[in-house]
Every structure is written in structure tokens, then in C-alpha cells.
Amino acid sequence: MTLADVFSQAKKPSLENGDRMSRGEFERRYHLMPNLKKAELIEGVVYVPSPVRIMSHGQPHATMITIVGNLCNGNASSDVGG
């Protein structure tokens, strides 16, 4: 990241959890942040969820699914989803 990128980012208004603003201002800022996956404006207050991290959520989830899948594969009486 170059110094110009840092200054460019600093000039752009962002959406932070707990900010208070109008719907128009929220939508303007939301459209300026293409990397933001989800943000909500509820009664004038901005809510931005924490990002899910691969090592604390995705990897353990994949490991658990693999273990359960292998257990079900080896047990004829297992029925996934019913």
C-alpha cells in the first residue's frame, strides 16, 4: 500500500458501528465501500457486524463437518438430515 492509498482511504467517509446518520448519508457511504459485505441502519444508528475469521470460524467448522461426515460414512444406521 502506498502513501497515496493511505491518504485516499483517509478521505473516504466510512461506516463504523454506532455511528448516527440519516438514511441518505448511510446509503452514500455504503456505496463508497464496495468491500463492506453488510451494514444496517436501524433508527438512525449504524450496525456493522464483525467479520468472520477463517481460523476462528471457517477452519473449525470445516473440520467438524469432515469428522461428522466420516462418522456417518462409517455407520450404516446414521442418517444425515432426518
Side-chain angles (χ1 to χ4, degrees), residues 37-73:
K37 301 292 182 202
K38 182 179 180 184
E40 296 180 292
L41 184 69
I42 302 174
E43 295 185 11
V45 179
V46 176
Y47 293 92
V48 181
S50 298
V52 176
R53 306 272 192 251
I54 185 69
M55 295 309 291
S56 64
H57 177 77
Q59 188 63 46
H61 182 80
T63 302
M64 182 186 70
I65 294 300
T66 302
I67 291 170
V68 171
N70 288 336
L71 287 172
C72 290
N73 246 356

Side-chain angles (χ1 to χ4, degrees), residues 2-15:
T2 67
L3 191 56
D5 292 335
V6 172
F7 284 118
S8 173
Q9 288 285 342
K11 291 179 184 176
K12 292 181 183 176
S14 64
L15 290 172

Side-chain angles (χ1 to χ4, degrees), residues 13-28:
S14 64
L15 290 172
E16 299 292 331
N17 211 18
D19 284 349
R20 295 184 172 274
M21 62 187 65
S22 67
R23 179 179 174 189
E25 179 63 15
F26 173 81
E27 289 180 1
R28 185 181 75 79

